[in-house]
Amino acid sequence: TQSTWGGVEPDQILHLCLRLRAMFYSLFIVNKPGSLVYQQDFTPGASLTANDTIRLASTFHGLHAIAAQISPQQSGIKGMLKYLASTGIEVLEADTFKLQCYQSPTGVKFFLVADPNTPDLEGILHTVYELYADYVLKNPFYELDMPIRIELFDFHIDKLFSENRRLMQIQAI
């Protein structure tokens, strides 16, 4: 028989530990030409240099474009079925991280790097896109394809990720 710890089964303890470990590392927004327009780290003390951040974003943009071009689903899809065509890399999973990408209809890529155990990255990226549409694109002072330096957008991004972190910890308990 398995022993319990305070009435909690070992499988539940493991599940709790994995859920508490679930966390977000970085958010990137890359415009259609491939320039990094926004980046935010969510792990204190583990940030990349500015050059490494730009290099990472442009490398992912290039890989995303190549994947979209070499996809076998790409050929022969026209007209109303064009939405079925591959748009590139959507998820990249490794032992130490998971990268999830959402490409908007205008070609802007939102990608999030997180712990592999973090759930629902796609839903979070759709929420980031909604915040982008509400606080960046509707801002009369923002110029397209320029770096995003809008305090209200930063505030809502911080709020979104801190709430999601808190909810994951509550769900784990």
Side-chain angles (χ1 to χ4, degrees), residues 4 12 45 85 164:
T4 62
Q12 292 174 324
N164 273 295

Side-chain angles (χ1 to χ4, degrees), residues 24-29 36 38-42 53 100 109-113 124-125 128-129 153 157 160-161:
F24 308 104
Y25 299 144
S26 295
L27 170 69
F28 296 81
I29 301 176
L36 180 66
Y38 185 83
Q39 189 274 332
Q40 185 170 353
D41 287 321
F42 301 109
T53 301
Q100 177 92 30
K109 290 171 207 63
F110 300 81
F111 67 95
L112 184 59
V113 182
I124 293 169
L125 283 172
V128 169
Y129 175 64
F153 179 67
I157 289 294
L160 170 69
F161 285 94

Side-chain angles (χ1 to χ4, degrees), residues 120-158:
D120 195 29
L121 295 182
E122 186 175 358
I124 293 169
L125 283 172
H126 283 279
T127 305
V128 169
Y129 175 64
E130 290 172 9
L131 294 173
Y132 172 79
D134 288 343
Y135 297 104
V136 176
L137 296 180
K138 293 178 183 177
N139 185 325
F141 301 107
Y142 178 70
E143 294 182 40
L144 284 177
D145 296 333
M146 296 303 292
I148 299 169
R149 289 182 172 65
I150 299 170
E151 288 182 23
L152 200 53
F153 179 67
D154 287 335
F155 171 79
H156 284 283
I157 289 294
D158 287 338

Side-chain angles (χ1 to χ4, degrees), residues 42-82:
F42 301 109
T43 52
S47 63
L48 298 171
T49 66
N51 285 340
D52 288 342
T53 301
I54 293 168
R55 192 176 302 122
L56 176 65
S58 62
T59 300
F60 180 74
H61 172 76
L63 290 173
H64 190 276
I66 291 168
Q69 289 178 355
I70 65 172
S71 171
Q73 294 177 342
Q74 190 73 19
S75 60
I77 299 177
K78 294 181 177 143
M80 292 180 60
L81 297 178
K82 190 175 179 181

